[in-house]
Amino acid sequence: MDSELLAAVRTRPEGRYLRVAGAVPRVRVGDVATNVERIGELIDRAVAEQVALVTFPELSLCGYTIADLGANDAVLHAVSAGLTTLAARTAGTATVAVVGAPVRSAGKLFNAAAVLAGGGVGGGTAKKHLPPYRQF
């Protein structure tokens, strides 16, 4: 980090700053278990490096070109279990992770970002600006 920038950060009134990271795991389309393992390793690394917020790409739990698999109950159950597993890795840490996943709510399927913190799934949001093709 540039020494001038570091000096400016250190002189903020509260004297602290947040470390933020974008993480890009090697995703395998439709292989939720492998993706959970890879994302989990990156969350662990973020915790070890005292990252306050780590973000992952959209649909990183299942793979972006999942198409019809997103409506498959087995895949959605695996994604839900995966979010719980990943959230557990944030327990007792100051790290928050935002992970992309398909989520079913009120009978509809959403391309969502799940917020994982304090050992649980703390919330999320659905993608608002959808592409014109039929992915989500």
Side-chain angles (χ1 to χ4, degrees):
M1 181 181 262
D2 181 307
S3 60
E4 186 175 325
L5 177 59
L6 185 58
V9 168
R10 287 189 179 147
T11 58
R12 287 180 50 202
E14 62 275 4
R16 297 180 349 165
Y17 59 94
L18 295 178
R19 189 174 294 215
V20 177
V24 183
R26 283 187 157 226
V27 174
R28 291 183 64 185
V29 175
D31 188 349
V32 177
T34 296
N35 297 338
V36 167
E37 182 180 324
R38 291 175 178 171
I39 292 168
E41 290 168 358
L42 292 170
I43 290 174
D44 292 346
R45 181 175 171 190
V47 169
E49 295 183 18
Q50 299 179 331
V51 171
L53 174 66
V54 58
T55 62
F56 293 87
E58 67 179 301
L59 297 176
S60 55
L61 266 184
C62 60
Y64 196 81
T65 59
I66 193 166
D68 291 338
L69 287 178
N72 181 303
D73 285 338
V75 171
L76 292 175
H77 288 299
V79 165
S80 179
L83 287 172
T84 300
T85 298
L86 292 172
R89 291 179 114 127
T90 67
T93 76
T95 300
V96 174
V98 179
V99 179
V103 175
R104 185 181 293 151
S105 179
K108 293 183 180 182
L109 188 61
F110 295 94
N111 178 346
V115 179
L116 316 177
V121 179
T125 188
K127 185 173 182 178
K128 306 273 189 281
H129 303 288
L130 300 174
Y133 51 88
R134 263 189 68 201
Q135 183 71 29
F136 274 89

